[in-house]
């Protein structure tokens, strides 16, 4: 019996797309068969049969399909074996589609995973499945997939090949899905605060944050764990140079004031900007300390809140960040700081990443 739009059929075996979707959703065969009966296609195609006959035929067919899916699951966990296994020789297009669906991770599920202790995740799966209205088996599969890819990434953290390419090659999934896993792993590894202090931010926000940092900060990949040492050292040194002597920050303050006046932004409350500048210097220096880096996005929100309360617009924020960037470059040069160009470059890249994250959360912070 076959009643599918998308079907893979060979050697008498049929993979039914509708049932595959139910299996991937975590349904067992009994629940899947009931769901199929309710599907309007089934009622039209099985006209003339009694309800009991329909239930029996669909249940038997679904059970057979699910046995096939369960055999496939082992190979889906180890995709390279899927290429050579003789039991169910999948056509290339079907195999690629099935792998992509099997490894797809829901954004809502990923958001629940962030900020939780990895050791306690398995114990919390029932709570997560209830909260998200997902079948527990689907949550288990997504967590197992994530752990499997996390372990693979960890074992290749010293590879010179971009980690996204390695994940794509190992698990035979798309570039887009591979990139998504690497971004999630970056968030998990650094245990960024996301639950208690930033509950208003979605997974899409955190995903954007990581993408923004990858774009703005050099060499953050292929290794999704540690930021470049020189980058962190330059930002740490900047705080020392600017805040060690009061006159330095005072001159910097005057330079920023002049820049804002010239750009016709003299209505901005300067004390808020200087306070933000000091916070940004401290934030940059904190990248060298893992226990502080986990609060990175929360600290950006604490910078955004006072700025937003002064009725600034997003355009105003961009003008401010430009002034902070340009005047830092000039100030370091006049102070004759050693390797000032490298430090100024690190500051520029750092602010670019922070600005992107700050603007992303701007409309949500209060």
């Amino acid at each position: 019996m076959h009643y599918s739009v998308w079907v893979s059929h060979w050697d008498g075996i049929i993979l039914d797309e509708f049932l595959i979707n139910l299996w991937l959703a975590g349904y067992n065969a009994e629940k899947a068969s009931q769901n199929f009966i309710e599907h309007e296609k089934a009622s039209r195609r099985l006209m003339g049969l009694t309800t009991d006959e329909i239930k029996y035929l669909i249940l038997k067919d679904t059970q057979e399909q699910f046995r096939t899916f369960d055999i496939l699951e082992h190979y889906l966990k180890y995709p390279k074996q899927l290429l050579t296994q003789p039991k169910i020789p999948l056509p290339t297009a079907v195999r690629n589609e099935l792998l992509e669906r099997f490894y797809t991770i829901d954004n809502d599920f990923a958001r629940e995973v962030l900020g939780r202790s990895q050791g306690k995740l398995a114990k919390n799966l029932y709570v997560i499945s209830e909260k998200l209205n997902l079948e527990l088996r689907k949550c288990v599969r997504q967590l197992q997939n994530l752990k499997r890819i996390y372990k693979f990434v960890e074992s290749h953290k010293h590879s010179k090949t971009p980690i996204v390419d390695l994940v794509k090659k190992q698990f035979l999934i798309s570039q887009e899905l591979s990139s998504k896993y690497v971004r999630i792993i970056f968030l998990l590894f650094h245990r960024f605060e996301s639950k208690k202090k930033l509950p208003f931010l979605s997974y899409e926000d955190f995903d954007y944050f990581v993408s923004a940092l990858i774009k703005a900060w050099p060499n953050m990949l292929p290794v999704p764990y540690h930021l470049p040492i020189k980058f962190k050292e330059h930002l740490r040194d900047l705080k020392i140079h600017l805040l060690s002597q009061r006159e330095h920050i005072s001159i910097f303050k005057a330079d920023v004031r002049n820049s804002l006046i010239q750009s016709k932004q003299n209505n901005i409350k300067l004390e808020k900007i200087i306070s933000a500048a000091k916070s940004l210097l401290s934030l940059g220096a904190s990248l060298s300390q893992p226990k502080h880096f986990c609060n990175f996005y929360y600290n950006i929100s604490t910078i955004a809140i006072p700025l937003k309360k002064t009725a600034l617009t997003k355009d105003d924020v961009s003008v401010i960040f430009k002034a902070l960037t340009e005047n830092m470059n000039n100030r370091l040069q006049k102070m004759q700081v050693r390797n000032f160009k490298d430090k100024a470059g690190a500051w520029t890249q750092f602010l670019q990443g922070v600005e992107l994250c700050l603007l992303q959360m701007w409309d949500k912070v209060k």
Side-chain angles (χ1 to χ4, degrees):
M1 181 189 306
H2 123 219
Y3 27 68
S4 164
V5 176
W6 179 84
V7 172
S8 178
H9 189 182
W10 67 97
D11 295 335
I13 300 175
I14 297 176
L15 291 187
D16 184 284
E17 181 183 24
F18 187 83
L19 292 178
I20 284 177
N21 289 338
L22 294 178
W23 177 71
L24 291 173
Y27 288 24
N28 58 32
E30 289 71 23
K31 188 172 181 178
S33 65
Q34 291 171 9
N35 189 286
F36 190 86
I37 290 172
E38 295 170 1
H39 194 262
E40 63 176 341
K41 277 188 189 176
S43 63
R44 288 202 299 263
R45 296 191 181 193
L46 300 174
M47 294 291 288
L49 297 176
T50 67
T51 301
D52 288 341
E53 288 173 329
I54 291 175
K55 288 181 178 179
Y56 176 80
L57 290 172
I58 291 180
L59 176 59
K60 289 299 181 183
D61 188 72
T62 302
Q63 289 173 336
E64 182 180 345
Q65 290 271 309
F66 272 49
R67 282 192 288 271
T68 301
F69 302 156
D70 290 341
I71 293 172
L72 276 174
E73 184 171 14
H74 168 76
Y75 298 108
L76 290 169
K77 291 178 180 178
Y78 306 98
K80 290 192 174 179
Q81 294 183 19
L82 189 64
L83 298 176
T84 56
Q85 57 84 23
K87 293 182 179 179
I88 308 176
L90 295 168
T92 301
V94 175
R95 182 191 67 219
N96 294 343
E97 177 73 13
L98 196 53
L99 280 167
E100 194 76 3
R101 293 188 187 189
F102 183 80
Y103 280 96
T104 293
I105 181 167
D106 296 335
N107 288 351
D108 289 342
F109 180 81
R111 181 65 181 90
E112 289 299 315
V113 167
L114 299 183
R116 292 182 186 267
S117 169
Q118 292 191 52
K120 297 180 180 179
L121 270 176
K123 297 179 181 179
N124 292 326
L125 279 184
Y126 180 78
V127 175
I128 293 174
S129 70
E130 288 287 309
K131 180 179 179 180
L132 300 180
N133 194 28
L134 295 175
E135 293 292 327
L136 181 59
R137 291 178 64 182
K138 181 176 183 180
C139 293
V140 170
R141 188 191 81 245
Q142 292 191 77
L143 180 59
Q144 289 177 343
N145 288 344
L146 180 57
K147 286 185 173 182
R148 193 178 307 114
I149 296 178
Y150 191 116
K151 184 178 180 180
F152 173 80
V153 169
E154 194 171 43
S155 67
H156 289 77
K157 60 186 178 182
H158 299 301
S159 174
K160 295 182 179 180
T161 304
I163 198 66
V164 173
D165 293 342
L166 289 176
V167 171
K168 178 183 177 182
K169 183 177 180 180
Q170 177 69 18
F171 295 94
L172 306 179
I173 54 179
S174 67
Q175 185 84 6
E176 181 181 358
L177 186 54
S178 300
S179 298
K180 181 176 182 178
Y181 270 105
V182 171
R183 293 193 296 271
I184 293 173
I185 290 170
F186 177 82
L187 291 165
L188 291 176
F189 178 81
H190 291 289
R191 299 182 181 179
F192 288 109
E193 166 55 43
S194 61
K195 289 292 180 186
K196 295 180 180 179
K197 299 177 181 178
L198 299 171
F200 53 87
L201 295 178
S202 66
Y203 166 75
E204 288 80 2
D205 291 322
F206 284 99
D207 186 70
Y208 177 86
F209 295 157
V210 180
S211 297
L213 297 189
I214 292 174
K215 178 181 178 181
W217 296 358
N219 303 319
M220 198 167 86
L221 292 178
V223 180
Y225 293 139
H226 304 292
L227 302 175
I229 295 176
K230 284 294 183 182
F231 181 65
K232 295 186 291 186
E233 289 179 347
H234 290 325
L235 294 173
R236 182 196 60 200
D237 292 345
L238 282 178
K239 180 182 178 182
I240 296 173
H241 287 304
L242 267 291
L243 299 182
S244 60
Q245 297 185 33
R246 192 169 183 176
E247 63 177 299
H248 291 161
I249 195 66
S250 297
I251 296 174
F252 181 62
K253 174 180 177 179
D255 292 342
V256 172
R257 177 195 294 114
N258 293 333
S259 293
L260 293 175
I261 291 174
Q262 290 175 9
S263 61
K264 298 181 181 180
Q265 298 291 327
N266 54 323
N267 61 317
I268 296 175
K269 293 182 179 180
L270 188 61
E271 65 273 13
K272 297 291 185 182
I273 308 307
I274 299 307
S275 176
K278 292 180 179 179
S279 297
L280 287 166
L281 285 167
S282 296
L283 183 61
S286 73
L287 298 187
S288 299
Q289 304 171 18
K291 64 179 181 180
H292 292 151
F293 188 43
C294 64
N295 287 312
F296 180 74
Y297 299 119
Y298 169 69
N299 289 333
I300 292 179
S301 73
T302 64
I303 295 172
I305 291 171
L307 292 178
K308 191 174 182 181
K309 287 182 177 179
T310 62
L312 294 177
T313 66
K314 289 184 178 181
D315 289 338
D316 292 332
V317 172
S318 295
V319 171
I320 291 167
F321 270 75
K322 181 179 179 182
L324 292 173
T325 300
E326 294 177 347
N327 286 287
M328 177 66 78
N329 297 347
N330 297 334
R331 180 51 32 203
L332 291 176
Q333 185 173 7
K334 291 177 181 178
M335 290 168 60
Q336 297 183 336
V337 173
R338 184 179 180 183
N339 297 325
F340 78 90
K341 289 185 178 180
D342 293 335
K343 290 178 172 57
W347 175 250
T348 298
Q349 292 161 347
F350 170 71
L351 284 191
Q352 287 174 346
V354 172
E355 181 184 356
L356 289 171
C357 295
L358 187 149
L359 293 178
Q360 175 70 13
M361 66 175 70
W362 185 261
D363 293 329
K364 295 184 178 182
V365 297
K366 298 179 180 179

